[in-house]
Amino acid sequence: MKLLALDSSGLVASVAILDGETLVAEYTLNYKKTHSQTLLPMLDEIVKMTQTELSEVDAIAVAAGPGSFTGLRIGSATAKGLGLALNKPIIPVPTLEGIACNFYGTDALICPMMDARRKQVYTGIYHFAGGTEFEELVAQEAGPVEDIIKKCNELGQKLGKQVIFLGDGVPVYKDIIEEFCTVEHSYAPAHLSRQRAGAVAIRAVRLYDEGKAEPASDHAPIYLRKSQAERELEAKGKKLEE
């Protein structure tokens, strides 16, 4: 199976091509540029460098959310446009599951955290049973940092496992993690701490086998919560009613 994978759900932009068990190429950028400036040029570069014909890919995997509203829209629009043009299915990969797959094979609990602002994170808890079988212990959600740390403490103690924290929310809330996390824990190194399209592709293969691909026309991002603009409009509406 040959996959094109995209991730623009957070600060990182990443594109990868997976051919069977070979990660042919991965282009990841974490710099001060918008995804509208980077994603398509990165895609074009990786296709040219690997002499890949996009018509050859079997499906397009994309980090479907949660994450940055703008980033998700750019990634999903790119994947959807390609899927419609090439008549290829899309494999929507929950963002936190994709990040967790950076630690495929570990025996530890994996807790990705994306900064959702206002002392909240997009997060979940995952595990690889037997080192290979992906398990969702806490489904991806948006909530206070303290809540997910409490769940990490409970699961870590119950299962006798340490927790690995990763994601762009870790440096923002590391003080809180250190204050409230009571089980053994560690932090991902730089090369495994953020979104990577290669990890999205790995998770997408299993989701494809589970029948979770969808027609490009049906694809839409997963936001988990309303945007700040929507919340502000609702607040204004409530004030007007009062």
Side-chain angles (χ1 to χ4, degrees), residues 44-212:
D44 184 56
E45 184 69 18
I46 207 171
V47 167
K48 286 179 179 177
M49 289 292 288
T50 60
Q51 298 180 320
T52 298
E53 293 290 338
L54 286 176
S55 59
E56 298 172 0
V57 304
D58 297 297
I60 299 160
V62 62
S68 156
F69 285 81
T70 301
L72 290 176
R73 290 185 185 115
I74 291 169
S76 286
T78 302
K80 189 166 188 171
L82 288 169
L84 291 170
L86 300 168
N87 194 28
K88 303 292 182 180
I90 289 178
I91 309 170
V93 177
T95 301
L96 280 303
E97 293 185 15
I99 300 174
C101 280
N102 282 343
F103 279 89
Y104 179 91
T106 184
D107 187 50
L109 302 179
I110 309 164
C111 182
M113 289 184 177
M114 295 177 67
D115 184 16
R117 309 291 175 85
R118 299 185 179 186
K119 292 188 177 181
Q120 293 203 341
V121 288
Y122 296 120
T123 187
I125 303 175
Y126 308 93
H127 177 237
F128 285 95
T132 58
E133 287 300 315
F134 186 89
E135 284 189 348
E136 177 188 78
L137 301 179
V138 175
Q140 60 181 21
E141 60 185 10
V145 183
E146 293 86 351
D147 286 0
I148 194 64
I149 295 174
K150 181 180 178 182
K151 292 174 184 176
C152 284
N153 289 337
E154 292 170 353
L155 285 169
Q157 188 171 29
K158 178 182 177 181
L159 301 175
K161 295 185 180 295
Q162 71 159 308
V163 181
I164 299 173
F165 292 102
L166 68 161
D168 61 42
V170 170
V172 179
Y173 301 111
K174 192 171 183 178
D175 289 346
I176 297 177
I177 296 172
E178 286 300 310
E179 181 179 354
F180 292 102
C181 188
T182 58
V183 294
E184 184 180 353
H185 59 280
S186 60
Y187 301 97
H191 68 297
L192 296 174
S193 65
R194 299 291 190 273
Q195 287 90 331
R196 291 182 58 183
V200 169
I202 293 298
R203 182 63 184 139
V205 171
R206 182 57 62 90
L207 292 174
Y208 184 87
D209 290 341
E210 293 173 1
K212 294 182 180 178

